[in-house]
Amino acid sequence: MRADFPRDRIFFHGNNKSEDELLAASAEGVGRIVVDNLDEITLLARVAAKREARTPVLLRVGPGVDAHTHAHLLTGAEDTKFGLDIASGAAEAGVRAVLERPKLELLGFHAHIGSQIRDIDPYREAVERLFVFAAEMRGKTGVVAREMSPGGGFGVRYTMDDPYTRPADMAREVARTMAEAARRHGFADPLPDLTIEPGRSIIAPAGVALYRVGSVKHGARTYVAVDGGMADNIRPTAYGAKYTAVLASRVSGDDVTDVAVAGKYCETGDILIQRIALPLPRVGEVIAVPASGAYQLSMASNYNMAPRPAVVVVADGHARLVRKRESYADVLAAEMG
Amino acid sequence: MRADFPRDRIFFHGNNKSEDELLAASAEGVGRIVVDNLDEITLLARVAAKREARTPVLLRVGPGVDAHTHAHLLTGAEDTKFGLDIASGAAEAGVRAVLERPKLELLGFHAHIGSQIRDIDPYREAVERLFVFAAEMRGKTGVVAREMSPGGGFGVRYTMDDPYTRPADMAREVARTMAEAARRHGFADPLPDLTIEPGRSIIAPAGVALYRVGSVKHGARTYVAVDGGMADNIRPTAYGAKYTAVLASRVSGDDVTDVAVAGKYCETGDILIQRIALPLPRVGEVIAVPASGAYQLSMASNYNMAPRPAVVVVADGHARLVRKRESYADVLAAEMG
């Protein structure tokens, strides 16, 4: 809202949307509520009753496809907190529950099958299952899906070892897969609208994290300690996520040596990069970590009471501060001292 | 500072203290700087030069003892970002570097061997190694350790499966272990001061997290979704940490069923408790998670732009708000919109 993004283009997701959140979304005319569960349908119907217009919804379903285990596609019901599972009949119950609410308008279905996907196959399988389900619901209830959202999760290249998938190629493949499945299942005239969610693949490579070196310690490994770490990027600690780095002040030229890039927080596991070949950094130099735009500051904490960093947008020779560096006063603002 | 804690009782830790932080600590008369590395000694000496009084320091050393792998004590040098390793000679270099700075006063040694320790044995080994090292340094340089800090890490009971260690018993054992080692190595007259760091064992059991149920979903498992999760408690997602829970409104009486307590954030891994037997929760009921006082709000984020929760202190029939619930305005305060 603050950024004045067009409300009708917003999709509101979540497995536990509160009444306050749904009221706010309704008041603002948010484009789609992606309904997750039966309790939410009950709640949303109550909220929607207060509006003149019908509230447009997609139903999040579980197609039983996991991007990372699609060899095991046929195991049936999926075990996830998200959505209503197709195989068990829960998704059908969801469709019927939405259709029973006159102020809710079921426009189609959403599924999200994972993250860091580099391969079209799991999408193809998920899209196929979405259309099989949509055709079944059309037959049983008469509802015709006009929108389909097979989610996002397109892979991002964090290190040079990661393959590079061009977003345009992935989008084209998903679109073709959708169109083929739609025609196969009698949804060709008109084709349903396709929604994709390429957030991480856009924002991750757009961000570069800059850290200043505070100490260099030689021992079992060479630890280069920087003025950030798990508070601004929990992903290496929490998920074993891999990043690469360059020494911003001396990108090339010098002999390189293997170092660990350690954060400054009070945990042994606070290591941003376990092993990276760099010209041996000196105290005061800056290390740049590419592909730092997604799931980092959005998950940043004030661990050890550390203020969170600033964000600067750089383009065409200009730099603009878009997020202020926090102060200690900011960090303590909520404390009733 | 804001809480007006006595400055001389503060120990300032960290593997990458910035110059600004050391200047602030120096200006405030912080009791001990626990020096981590050679670069910090250089920096601290520069900061200390501006003060009349000498700056009291402990040196953080790596004793080569890990609480969780103490079967492998004899592998020599430890691989951690913290402190200066004894076995490799790095710790001795640290002692000499401090002693060369006339404005730094080396009072003794600190080590921290892990967390969730339930057993005195790793402490005994670490304390022994601290004193062996201290005796060696006394012989080589004349410096006499007057303070010893074998850290903290006393185990906390998160679930009923965790053993209960009385903090008083652990403290008594550590003190006796210290005194014995001191006498054995000629540090008996007077005994060095003992510092312990029992933070988590105090604050973890002091906190109870309260969550309200937003949906109950039956499927492969029964998912009870609550109005919190990995943004206020990253530990289950990041470390596989285990918690227990009770249904606050119906602690006992009803038949219980196995449920998963799921958070509301946009990750499949956002599960606070994988499996817990509870009376089947209803939407709107409150789930209480004990032992939630440590490493939770201190690591809390605004993931999914969610405001962080309030903290209420309850004692003797009174309740007092000590930390305000964040608002959306707070969450967006740093954005330059």
Side-chain angles (χ1 to χ4, degrees):
Chain A
M1 305 304 129
R2 174 85 76 90
D4 204 23
F5 191 86
R7 310 299 192 261
D8 61 343
R9 295 179 61 194
I10 296 175
F11 283 54
F12 184 14
H13 278 283
N15 66 314
N16 187 15
K17 307 176 188 76
S18 71
E19 181 161 7
D20 284 350
E21 289 165 349
L22 289 171
L23 283 166
S26 178
E28 291 281 348
V30 156
R32 301 287 180 270
I33 311 293
V34 185
V35 168
D36 179 89
N37 60 72
L38 299 177
D39 291 318
E40 184 184 338
I41 293 167
T42 303
L43 181 59
L44 182 60
R46 205 161 67 221
V47 169
K50 297 170 187 166
R51 281 183 89 205
E52 182 102 14
R54 296 174 76 198
T55 295
V57 309
L58 299 182
L59 186 70
R60 179 165 186 165
V61 300
V65 179
D66 182 293
H68 307 290
T69 55
H70 65 276
H72 309 288
L73 285 178
L74 302 176
T75 53
E78 66 175 346
D79 180 19
T80 154
K81 69 173 189 171
F82 290 115
L84 292 168
D85 177 52
I86 292 176
S88 70
E92 178 172 341
V95 170
R96 294 185 184 279
V98 174
L99 294 177
E100 280 167 16
R101 268 68 176 205
K103 297 304 280 292
L104 301 185
E105 182 180 16
L106 182 62
L107 293 178
F109 302 105
H110 165 79
H112 186 84
I113 57 172
S115 59
Q116 284 295 84
I117 304 170
R118 308 182 182 292
D119 179 1
I120 192 70
D121 288 345
Y123 277 107
R124 187 168 289 129
E125 189 64 37
V127 166
E128 176 66 20
R129 291 184 180 208
L130 281 178
F131 276 104
V132 168
F133 177 69
E136 190 188 339
M137 291 305 102
R138 184 182 53 196
K140 286 185 171 175
T141 71
V143 71
V144 177
R146 285 176 278 150
E147 297 184 12
M148 285 290 193
S149 164
F154 308 139
V156 167
R157 191 182 207 191
Y158 284 99
T159 74
M160 301 300 272
D161 294 335
D162 293 331
Y164 177 60
T165 311
R166 288 182 56 215
D169 290 344
M170 198 72 176
R172 194 176 299 113
E173 278 292 293
V174 172
R176 192 171 63 196
T177 298
M178 260 280 293
E180 286 170 5
R183 291 193 186 93
R184 204 158 46 239
H185 295 283
F187 288 86
D189 191 20
L191 281 173
D193 284 341
L194 166 63
T195 304
I196 58 171
E197 300 181 343
R200 182 204 295 234
S201 67
I202 295 170
I203 195 70
V208 177
L210 300 178
Y211 299 101
R212 196 170 294 278
V213 174
S215 82
V216 179
K217 191 188 295 184
H218 302 279
R221 287 194 277 178
T222 299
Y223 282 95
V224 175
V226 298
D227 60 349
M230 62 187 289
D232 60 80
N233 185 359
I234 192 74
R235 297 185 68 252
T237 303
Y239 308 118
K242 302 270 189 296
Y243 287 85
T244 189
V246 295
L247 189 58
S249 34
R250 290 181 284 135
V251 171
S252 62
D254 292 344
D255 287 345
V256 297
T257 184
D258 279 346
V259 304
V261 179
K264 69 170 188 170
Y265 299 94
C266 64
E267 301 203 7
T268 304
D270 175 31
I271 307 290
L272 286 169
I273 303 178
Q274 292 287 347
R275 184 174 167 171
I276 180 82
L278 293 177
L280 186 65
R282 294 189 281 258
V283 171
E285 288 191 309
V286 170
I287 288 176
V289 177
S292 291
Y295 298 104
Q296 295 195 18
L297 293 187
S298 60
M299 301 177 75
S301 74
N302 294 116
Y303 195 33
N304 294 171
M305 288 267 182
R308 288 174 288 192
V311 178
V312 177
V313 167
V314 179
D316 302 327
H318 297 282
R320 185 164 57 93
L321 183 68
V322 295
R323 188 178 162 90
K324 281 182 289 189
R325 186 190 308 279
E326 281 184 331
S327 66
Y328 287 122
D330 295 331
V331 172
L332 294 171
E335 305 287 336
M336 316 284 284
Chain B
M1 303 303 131
R2 173 85 76 91
D4 205 23
F5 190 86
R7 310 300 193 260
D8 61 342
R9 294 179 61 193
I10 296 175
F11 284 54
F12 184 15
H13 278 283
N15 67 313
N16 186 16
K17 307 176 188 77
S18 71
E19 181 162 6
D20 284 351
E21 289 166 348
L22 290 171
L23 282 166
S26 177
E28 290 281 349
V30 157
R32 301 286 179 271
I33 311 292
V34 185
V35 169
D36 179 89
N37 60 72
L38 299 178
D39 290 318
E40 184 184 338
I41 294 169
T42 303
L43 181 59
L44 182 60
R46 205 159 68 221
V47 168
K50 297 169 187 166
R51 280 184 88 204
E52 183 102 16
R54 296 174 77 198
T55 295
V57 310
L58 298 182
L59 186 70
R60 179 164 185 167
V61 300
V65 179
D66 181 294
H68 307 290
T69 55
H70 65 277
H72 309 290
L73 285 178
L74 302 176
T75 54
E78 65 175 346
D79 180 18
T80 154
K81 69 172 189 169
F82 289 116
L84 292 167
D85 177 53
I86 292 175
S88 70
E92 178 172 341
V95 169
R96 294 185 185 278
V98 174
L99 294 177
E100 279 167 16
R101 269 66 176 206
K103 297 304 282 288
L104 302 184
E105 182 180 16
L106 181 63
L107 293 178
F109 303 105
H110 165 78
H112 186 84
I113 56 171
S115 59
Q116 283 294 85
I117 305 170
R118 308 183 183 292
D119 180 359
I120 192 70
D121 288 344
Y123 277 106
R124 188 169 289 129
E125 189 63 38
V127 165
E128 175 66 19
R129 290 182 180 210
L130 280 177
F131 276 104
V132 167
F133 176 69
E136 190 188 338
M137 290 305 102
R138 184 181 52 196
K140 286 183 171 177
T141 71
V143 71
V144 177
R146 285 175 279 152
E147 298 184 12
M148 285 292 195
S149 164
F154 308 139
V156 167
R157 190 181 208 193
Y158 284 99
T159 75
M160 300 300 272
D161 294 335
D162 293 331
Y164 178 59
T165 311
R166 287 183 55 217
D169 290 344
M170 199 70 174
R172 195 176 299 112
E173 278 292 294
V174 172
R176 192 171 61 196
T177 298
M178 261 279 294
E180 285 169 5
R183 290 194 187 93
R184 203 158 47 239
H185 295 284
F187 288 86
D189 191 20
L191 281 173
D193 285 341
L194 166 63
T195 305
I196 58 170
E197 301 182 342
R200 182 203 296 234
S201 68
I202 294 170
I203 195 70
V208 178
L210 300 178
Y211 299 101
R212 197 170 292 279
V213 174
S215 83
V216 179
K217 191 188 295 184
H218 302 280
R221 287 194 275 178
T222 299
Y223 282 95
V224 175
V226 298
D227 60 349
M230 63 187 288
D232 60 80
N233 185 0
I234 192 74
R235 298 185 68 251
T237 303
Y239 308 118
K242 303 269 189 296
Y243 286 85
T244 188
V246 295
L247 189 59
S249 34
R250 290 182 283 134
V251 171
S252 62
D254 292 344
D255 286 344
V256 296
T257 184
D258 280 345
V259 304
V261 179
K264 69 170 189 170
Y265 299 94
C266 65
E267 301 203 7
T268 304
D270 174 31
I271 306 291
L272 285 169
I273 302 178
Q274 293 287 347
R275 185 173 167 171
I276 179 84
L278 294 177
L280 186 64
R282 294 188 282 258
V283 170
E285 288 192 308
V286 171
I287 288 177
V289 177
S292 292
Y295 299 103
Q296 295 196 18
L297 293 187
S298 60
M299 301 179 75
S301 74
N302 294 116
Y303 196 33
N304 294 170
M305 287 266 181
R308 288 175 287 192
V311 178
V312 177
V313 167
V314 180
D316 303 327
H318 297 282
R320 185 164 59 92
L321 184 67
V322 294
R323 188 179 162 88
K324 281 182 289 189
R325 187 189 310 277
E326 281 183 330
S327 66
Y328 288 121
D330 295 332
V331 172
L332 294 171
E335 305 287 337
M336 315 284 284

